[in-house]
Amino acid sequence: MERYVAGRRSAQLRHAVVVEEKVGNTKKWDVRESAGRLEVAFRRAGDLRDNIVNLSRWKGIGAAAPLFAEAFCRANKNSRETTRSSSANNIVSGLVQYLTVKGVKISGPDDTPMDLGESFLTYLKGRDTTHPTVLSVETQRHYYGTFKKVVLALHEMDPRWKVIRIPPKPFAGLPRKSKPKELDRAAWANVMKAAVEECISTMDEVWPLLDRVHSALAQKKKGDAVSLSDPAEAIAQILANFDGHLPRQGAVHKLPVNRPGFSRQSSAV
């Protein structure tokens, strides 16, 4: 049985390639499957490395996972890399999670539940009484939108996949975004209190250093050397090197320790 399913799956993939070639487009991706791993590679121009998207967790779909991966590539062939990555995760958190809780595996169009499109939508909206979920409207739209794109690509690959029907206007009547959460004033007050206490603690630690920094700056103006082992003197040296401004940490690390005005006692800044 497994050999038959695998053979049928390979035939469908070959059919997809032929169709792609007939319409005059060069296929710019590969679906790669090995033991425990499924990934797709989008080829990029020139000598740039392929954009690899790991779809191994899609194996939860069942034996048809490589076909869904092929459809994913068709649907995202012109998408940005970040879009491809987020879309792949949407399928995992959406469809794969749904099939897992339902105990459903899909090997091909013939064993796909006829109500998959509708029942998956019911699940996302939290209306499945046996497996209730709580998802924001935006999340529902993201998960179902990605599912819809992949399914429509499956329809193009093989008309038999039209067994997965996509309801028209699946979110009609729902707002584009969820209502904002109520502000917990007590929690907000606690956050602000902690922030103020941390600020006071920081200033208590920093304030005594300021006089010493000013003294070290005066020492620098006289041409005297400062020691990097002393935080106040090290800050004065950095300010002197960067026209009175504190630079990014990476720029500080590039300062040569043995230049005039530096002491060789320490280089720990």
Side-chain angles (χ1 to χ4, degrees):
M1 179 62 184
E2 290 183 359
R3 183 177 299 174
Y4 168 73
V5 170
R8 183 174 63 182
R9 185 172 65 218
S10 299
Q12 286 178 305
L13 284 172
R14 286 197 300 272
H15 171 72
V17 173
V18 170
V19 170
E20 195 74 24
E21 290 175 348
K22 283 183 178 179
V23 298
N25 293 327
T26 302
K27 193 172 157 205
K28 298 180 179 179
W29 64 83
D30 294 308
V31 177
R32 303 168 180 172
E33 185 182 12
S34 59
R37 187 170 180 84
L38 176 65
E39 65 183 22
V40 294
F42 292 91
R43 289 186 287 280
R44 295 190 290 190
D47 296 328
L48 296 176
R49 291 183 178 180
D50 293 344
N51 169 213
I52 306 295
V53 184
N54 187 351
L55 303 183
S56 296
R57 289 189 291 173
W58 283 37
K59 283 181 168 287
I61 293 173
L67 294 172
F68 276 75
E70 175 73 20
F72 168 81
C73 292
R74 288 168 170 265
N76 289 278
K77 59 185 177 182
N78 296 320
S79 300
R80 295 180 178 180
E81 293 183 16
T82 52
T83 300
R84 292 168 182 165
S85 179
S86 61
S87 295
N89 289 331
N90 285 344
I91 291 293
V92 173
S93 300
L95 179 63
V96 175
Q97 178 65 22
Y98 167 75
L99 295 175
T100 299
V101 299
K102 288 293 187 179
V104 174
K105 295 289 185 182
I106 299 176
S107 297
D110 297 336
D111 65 354
T112 301
M114 294 188 65
D115 65 341
L116 178 61
E118 295 86 351
S119 60
F120 178 47
L121 184 61
T122 299
Y123 166 81
L124 292 177
K125 291 182 176 180
R127 298 172 183 170
D128 186 322
T129 56
T130 56
H131 299 93
T133 60
V134 180
L135 300 173
S136 69
V137 175
E138 297 99 314
T139 300
Q140 294 175 32
R141 290 181 181 275
H142 288 319
Y143 289 176
Y144 204 79
T146 304
F147 168 76
K148 178 180 177 180
K149 286 178 65 175
V150 171
V151 168
L152 292 179
L154 281 172
H155 290 180
E156 294 176 358
M157 287 168 54
D158 187 338
R160 291 183 301 156
W161 281 108
K162 291 184 179 180
V163 66
I164 306 179
R165 297 186 296 269
I166 301 296
K169 299 180 179 180
F171 295 98
L174 289 179
R176 294 295 302 179
K177 294 184 178 181
S178 303
K179 293 182 179 179
K181 295 181 179 179
E182 292 289 333
L183 179 64
D184 187 334
R185 294 183 180 276
W188 179 250
N190 287 335
V191 171
M192 294 303 296
K193 180 181 178 182
V196 170
E197 290 175 350
E198 184 67 23
C199 182
I200 292 173
S201 175
T202 300
M203 290 307 300
D204 287 343
E205 183 178 347
V206 170
W207 197 262
L209 288 176
L210 295 182
D211 286 339
R212 293 175 53 216
V213 170
H214 285 298
S215 297
L217 281 171
Q219 183 179 340
K220 283 294 302 176
K221 288 181 180 179
K222 295 178 182 179
D224 296 336
V226 296
S227 171
L228 294 183
S229 62
D230 183 291
E233 294 187 25
I235 292 172
Q237 178 64 59
I238 293 169
L239 290 173
N241 276 84
F242 290 92
D243 298 323
H245 299 285
L246 284 173
R248 293 180 179 272
Q249 189 175 14
V252 175
H253 286 314
K254 294 178 182 179
L255 289 175
V257 178
N258 59 351
R259 65 182 296 172
F262 277 83
S263 167
R264 295 185 180 181
Q265 294 179 26
S266 172
S267 60
V269 180

